[in-house]
Amino acid sequence: MTISRFLGKAVLYLAAFSAVFPMVWTAINAFKNRVDIVTPTPLFIFTPTLDNFAYVLGRESVAAGLVNSLLSAGGSVLIGALLGLPAAYAIARYPNRWSADIQFFVLSLRFLPPVAVAIPLMVIWLDLGFYDTRLSLIVTYTLLTLATVIWLGVPAFARVPKEVEEAARVDGYGPYAVFLLIALPIASRSLIGAVAFAFVLVWNEFLIALMLTTSDAKTLPIVASELTQLGRDVPWGILNASVVLLSIPPLLLIGILSGLLNNAFRRKSN
């Protein structure tokens, strides 16, 4: 093994360790008592406890926040996918002089800082009487998911071979059938990643949810932040447990989508 190759692998392993270790350490601390967390010497051998998870799951606000997060994030991703995937396909397959401007506008929605969007939207929802509702969150999050799905979907559809679509048209497929039965399955690997990425973005979104909710529609990240107590007695175990629970739904979604995609490709290959 050459030195350059060894250094390259070492850098990759170091980067992987830097990314994974904080998550592993958070999961470990979720099973510790507070005295085991704040000790000057990190403890790798300790008596695990489920009190932190029991405290988090026993709060009614956590259950309400979980429902609000699932409905707002799931609804916005569903609407974003239903509207964004056809839009991305149209931009990729039927370009015109406005296509570049549309893509730049979609990308510019992600450039804006959340506070620049949250304050005007807060005023709008207050005037319409929909402040602190799931509807306001779903509509607002749809702006984020729609931009993400379109921006990531355009290159995915652009990589679909045009010859395959032309052959389908020769066989009598209409434009909608070509999109649903040909282009969508071929680009599904990249599109599933785009949808999962959009879900993670809105699931973890904090500032917009903080500005647009007060009590009824609070999402899980807002509820988790409220578990922090002021002063020196910070409940580190409870906070780590809330982070672990907050990370489970996106991981489950990615796992389910990956499993469905692998099964679909296995059936197709057989």
Side-chain angles (χ1 to χ4, degrees):
M1 182 182 296
T2 62
I3 297 178
S4 59
R5 189 174 181 181
F6 173 79
L7 292 177
K9 286 190 175 182
V11 171
L12 289 177
Y13 288 142
L14 181 61
F17 177 80
S18 301
V20 173
F21 180 75
M23 296 184 291
V24 174
W25 191 247
T26 299
I28 292 175
N29 285 339
F31 293 94
K32 289 183 179 180
N33 293 305
R34 183 179 179 277
V35 65
D36 296 329
I37 297 177
V38 299
T39 179
T41 304
L43 294 179
F44 293 92
I45 300 176
F46 57 92
T47 303
T49 179
L50 295 176
D51 293 342
N52 299 323
F53 291 96
Y55 177 85
V56 174
L57 295 176
R59 296 175 64 89
E60 295 181 1
S61 59
V62 173
L66 177 61
V67 173
N68 291 333
S69 290
L70 288 174
L71 291 178
S72 59
S76 63
V77 170
L78 179 61
I79 297 173
L82 291 177
L83 299 178
L85 293 179
Y89 179 74
I91 295 173
R93 276 293 175 261
Y94 305 102
N96 53 53
R97 61 175 183 168
W98 303 107
S99 297
D101 295 332
I102 293 174
Q103 293 186 67
F104 179 78
F105 173 74
V106 169
L107 182 62
S108 66
L109 295 177
R110 300 299 307 149
F111 289 161
L112 291 174
V115 67
V117 180
I119 295 178
L121 286 174
M122 181 176 65
V123 177
I124 292 174
W125 293 124
L126 283 171
D127 292 340
L128 294 177
F130 290 108
Y131 180 76
D132 194 23
T133 62
R134 294 168 181 166
L135 176 62
S136 64
L137 281 180
I138 292 175
V139 174
T140 303
Y141 284 170
T142 299
L143 300 175
L144 304 178
T145 59
L146 187 61
T148 303
V149 171
I150 291 177
W151 182 253
L152 297 178
V154 169
F157 285 119
R159 288 192 293 268
V160 177
K162 292 183 179 181
E163 294 78 7
V164 178
E165 296 183 4
E166 293 173 355
R169 294 189 186 95
V170 172
D171 291 339
Y173 283 71
Y176 296 104
V178 171
F179 167 69
L180 293 174
L181 302 178
I182 305 299
L184 204 59
I186 293 177
S188 58
R189 282 185 178 272
S190 299
L191 297 178
I192 285 179
V195 172
F197 182 66
F199 180 83
V200 172
L201 284 180
V202 293
W203 177 267
N204 295 328
E205 211 293 316
F206 179 81
L207 184 57
I208 293 178
L210 181 64
M211 299 288 289
L212 298 185
T213 62
T214 54
S215 58
D216 295 336
K218 286 192 298 186
T219 57
L220 200 56
I222 306 300
V223 176
S225 68
E226 294 176 349
L227 298 177
T228 305
Q229 300 176 0
L230 298 178
R232 298 172 61 87
D233 188 18
V234 179
W236 294 112
I238 295 174
L239 293 179
N240 283 281
S242 63
V243 170
V244 172
L245 295 175
L246 187 64
S247 305
I248 290 177
L251 294 177
L252 288 177
L253 175 65
I254 294 174
I256 292 173
L257 293 177
S258 300
L260 293 175
L261 184 62
N262 291 332
N263 291 334
F265 272 92
R266 288 174 183 172
R267 295 194 192 99
K268 191 173 182 180
S269 61
N270 294 333

